[in-house]
Amino acid sequence: MPHLVSERTLLSGKIFFNFGQSSIDCVVRRLTEEAATLEMESGLGVPEQFQLRIAGRDVLTCRVIWRSDRQVGVAIEQPDSVEHPAGEERGRSSDALMRGQMLALRAALDFVPLGIVLLDADLRARLINRAFRQMWLLPDEVANSYPSFVTLMHHGRDTLAYEIPPAELEAYVAGRVRHVQAGDASPLDLRRSGGDVVRMQCTPLPDGGRMLTYTPVTDIVRASDELKLLRDALENVEDGVLLLDHDLNASFMNRRMRRFWEVSEQEAASRPAYSSLVSRAQRASAPNIPANELTRFPARRLAEVKAGDHVRDLQTPDGRRIRAHCTTMANGGRMLTYVDITDLTNKAAMLERLATTDPLTGLYNRRHFLGALDAEWSRFQRYYRSVSVLMLDIDHFKSVNDRYGHAVGDEAIKAVAAACNEGKRKSDLVGRLGGEEFAVLLPETSLSRAWLVAERIRKRAMAILLNAHQAQFGVTVSIGIAEATVSMSGIDALMAAADHALYQAKAEGRNRCVAFVPAPPASKAAE
């Protein structure tokens, strides 16, 4: 090699790396026998070791010792001092270049996060990188012994690395070996006993060998599994589910939705436009929509979906009620869910009745009665309108149960409930508070008017005749009456006043009505 001296002149150079397949043009500054400064468009892409070719000079092997945005400083490796013929020198230089490139390649593969195994034509490992060794807990002494692929598989088997039942392990290992022997490039997801997933792919090499790559894909596979699980769940739910993209084309339709729109799986897969679905024979329309507006309904429905979140009740041609929920998605699309509420609509009155009425008598239950009384109390406080309450109790009811049995007792309760309904006014509300106890709410009613209603109910109850054991008997009721006053603290005080009057009626001989009279204020002590 010619003697190099420090030069400040600019020399044209070219950096070679990646087995000579990659190069970077540069300008050489301050060249000496030991070092040089190279300038290029960007110093970031220059590898740590490379070959430098300068016009009219030998190829130099360089190592980066410093770098900046557009410059790198390099140390020049010194050649063997022994003189060789020119041809032999070039051969050695070429061999050194290849060895350097192979070492650089091995070093690079050791730092990639993917597991990599290079197999020769006999499927023996010529290279196993660090990521693979760590991934499968492969000892260095095994990895450095040029193991066969079968040996690597047996290592995984013996360390219980595979999420495979023990009885199936041998067949699993044999299948994996056949997969690599055939050079099958289709990826395999390997589920490991720790719960993570590695995607293995086999790439045939020109020399008959194989390159195996192992990529951690746990999050991807789990997301895919969850997505499939979600799609399967949506496919089988009773409600209709329709997903629209930002152009309002159907990206997903579950089975219930396809049946509703009369769409085949093939047509659903073609992502039909929502406008075409809502227009087909007016499959759904707003309840009670006039016939002359039916033709305009599809356009109105499309505008509602474009507008975003809403809830809409629809009706099918066969009379069923559908509640459609529209939700705006993050990607600008829409999710439409269709719930058949026909049965709910039909049963709404029944559910309301069950929630608010007493099953034996059909009267309002205690909870509903107190709720109505509370609302009436609020009106009393706001507008000072009169409100009164009756408390009723069947006289000697325990003796009826003891003498005739509970079935007859229930008949007596139902008969008194009927007497209350017949004796009350249209605006009054009757409730069964429990057992043989009843209450009547009389809105905008003074104590004197409440007395008239109470007497009417008492007389109707007294006219009741019941049959038991081939004999007839009657029942009577005692009634307490109370009117709300501003001195009362609330409905509890009003109910307590009526209850107090009821017990007074019982104490005075039963089968009578007694009105609550507040105690007079205590007189001042004489001075």
Side-chain angles (χ1 to χ4, degrees):
M1 176 178 174
H3 180 71
L4 299 178
V5 295
S6 177
E7 297 178 4
R8 293 189 177 275
T9 55
L10 306 182
L11 300 176
S12 175
K14 188 178 288 286
I15 296 170
F16 288 93
F17 57 96
N18 193 19
F19 295 95
Q21 297 180 19
S22 303
S23 64
I24 299 174
D25 292 328
C26 66
V27 174
V28 182
R29 298 175 179 273
R30 292 184 290 278
L31 177 64
T32 68
E33 290 185 355
E34 292 82 18
T37 299
L38 310 182
E39 185 174 305
M40 65 288 298
E41 289 188 4
S42 173
L44 298 178
V46 179
E48 294 298 318
Q49 288 187 321
F50 57 85
Q51 278 66 47
L52 174 65
R53 178 175 294 168
I54 304 174
R57 302 175 184 267
D58 289 339
V59 175
L60 304 176
T61 300
C62 300
R63 175 172 51 84
V64 175
I65 55 177
W66 62 267
R67 70 174 72 227
S68 64
D69 288 344
R70 299 190 55 171
Q71 288 186 338
V72 295
V74 300
I76 300 171
E77 296 184 1
Q78 300 301 316
D80 196 339
S81 59
V82 180
E83 296 291 336
H84 299 283
E88 185 178 348
E89 182 70 29
R90 283 195 297 272
R92 288 180 179 273
S93 177
S94 176
D95 291 343
L97 175 61
M98 289 297 296
R99 284 196 302 272
Q101 290 174 338
M102 287 299 296
L103 290 173
L105 175 61
R106 284 177 173 271
L109 291 179
D110 243 359
F111 283 95
V112 297
L114 311 180
I116 296 177
V117 177
L118 295 181
L119 303 175
D120 59 19
D122 297 324
L123 300 188
R124 299 191 72 86
R126 310 307 296 176
L127 181 147
I128 301 176
N129 78 338
R130 184 183 307 172
F132 181 91
R133 301 179 190 210
Q134 293 173 345
M135 189 180 294
W136 299 99
L137 302 178
L138 185 67
D140 287 341
E141 57 267 24
V142 176
N144 295 334
S145 65
Y146 302 108
S148 66
F149 180 68
V150 174
T151 300
L152 297 179
M153 287 299 303
H154 286 167
H155 170 77
R157 177 200 64 188
D158 297 341
T159 57
L160 304 178
Y162 311 124
E163 193 180 72
I164 302 292
E168 301 175 16
L169 267 175
E170 291 302 327
Y172 174 76
V173 170
R176 290 279 308 283
V177 172
R178 287 194 300 271
H179 181 91
V180 172
Q181 285 174 336
D184 190 341
S186 56
L188 291 177
D189 285 343
L190 314 179
R191 295 182 181 269
R192 309 202 316 157
S193 55
D196 57 332
V197 183
V198 176
R199 181 161 295 166
M200 175 265 198
Q201 190 156 14
C202 173
T203 303
L205 300 177
D207 63 355
R210 304 284 187 268
M211 181 175 73
L212 310 181
T213 58
Y214 295 76
T215 309
V217 292
T218 304
D219 292 342
I220 297 173
V221 171
R222 282 180 181 168
S224 177
D225 290 346
E226 290 172 2
L227 180 60
K228 183 179 183 303
L229 183 64
L230 176 61
R231 291 182 71 93
D232 289 345
L234 291 177
E235 180 70 13
N236 293 286
V237 295
E238 286 300 314
D239 301 334
V241 179
L242 174 64
L243 299 182
L244 305 175
D245 61 22
H246 63 280
D247 295 321
L248 299 189
N249 296 323
S251 57
F252 173 79
M253 250 187 284
N254 73 342
R255 183 182 296 112
R256 187 67 179 265
M257 202 72 257
R258 295 194 300 271
R259 190 182 307 133
F260 176 76
W261 292 116
E262 298 178 352
V263 172
S264 66
E265 287 191 49
Q266 292 74 18
E267 187 179 356
S270 68
R271 303 172 71 95
Y274 178 70
S275 58
S276 70
L277 297 174
V278 77
S279 300
R280 57 172 66 198
Q282 284 80 46
R283 283 292 302 157
S285 61
N288 306 317
I289 187 171
N292 60 350
E293 294 185 16
L294 273 176
T295 56
R296 293 196 292 269
F297 174 77
R300 287 170 49 193
R301 183 72 186 124
L302 181 62
E304 287 176 343
V305 172
K306 283 183 178 179
D309 298 0
H310 67 273
V311 179
R312 185 77 142 98
D313 284 351
L314 308 172
Q315 184 169 311
T316 63
D318 58 2
R320 300 193 70 77
R321 292 291 187 100
I322 304 294
R323 178 157 294 168
H325 292 253
C326 177
T327 304
T328 303
M329 309 294 286
N331 64 354
R334 302 288 186 270
M335 180 175 73
L336 298 177
T337 56
Y338 292 75
V339 183
D340 191 331
I341 59 170
T342 307
D343 293 339
L344 293 178
T345 302
N346 293 340
K347 293 177 181 177
M350 182 187 70
L351 293 174
E352 177 69 16
R353 187 164 59 252
L354 290 174
T356 61
T357 61
D358 169 57
L360 177 63
T361 63
L363 300 177
Y364 288 115
N365 58 22
R366 181 185 187 92
R367 178 180 177 184
H368 183 78
F369 180 86
L370 293 178
L373 177 57
D374 190 59
E376 198 60 41
W377 180 269
S378 297
R379 281 188 286 272
F380 160 72
Q381 287 187 308
R382 186 176 302 168
Y383 305 113
Y384 296 103
R385 294 175 178 174
S386 299
V387 57
S388 297
V389 169
L390 310 182
M391 293 282 285
L392 290 80
D393 193 89
I394 301 176
D395 295 330
H396 303 295
F397 181 73
K398 185 176 183 302
S399 64
V400 173
N401 269 340
D402 293 343
R403 184 173 182 181
Y404 302 111
H406 289 285
V408 176
D410 287 347
E411 291 301 318
I413 289 173
K414 289 192 285 186
V416 171
C420 291
N421 270 328
E422 293 166 3
K424 77 176 185 66
R425 302 167 305 175
K426 187 175 181 179
S427 60
D428 299 336
L429 186 148
V430 184
R432 182 186 177 198
L433 302 186
E436 71 275 19
E437 191 175 32
F438 302 84
V440 183
L441 170 62
L442 302 95
E444 301 188 18
T445 304
S446 64
L447 191 66
S448 59
R449 288 175 179 265
W451 180 282
L452 296 177
V453 176
E455 272 295 308
R456 190 161 57 243
I457 292 174
R458 185 187 68 79
K459 290 175 181 179
R460 287 182 180 274
M462 194 169 54
I464 294 172
L465 287 177
L466 297 172
N467 296 310
H469 307 310
Q470 299 178 344
Q472 285 189 331
F473 69 96
V475 295
T476 60
V477 296
S478 299
I479 303 175
I481 311 165
E483 181 184 0
T485 64
V486 294
S487 62
M488 291 179 177
S489 58
I491 63 172
D492 290 341
L494 177 58
M495 293 285 286
D499 196 51
H500 179 82
L502 169 62
Y503 277 94
Q504 186 178 344
K506 285 181 174 294
E508 292 178 5
R510 295 182 171 81
N511 189 24
R512 67 191 62 229
C513 301
V514 172
F516 173 75
V517 179
S523 58
K524 275 190 176 183
E527 294 181 1

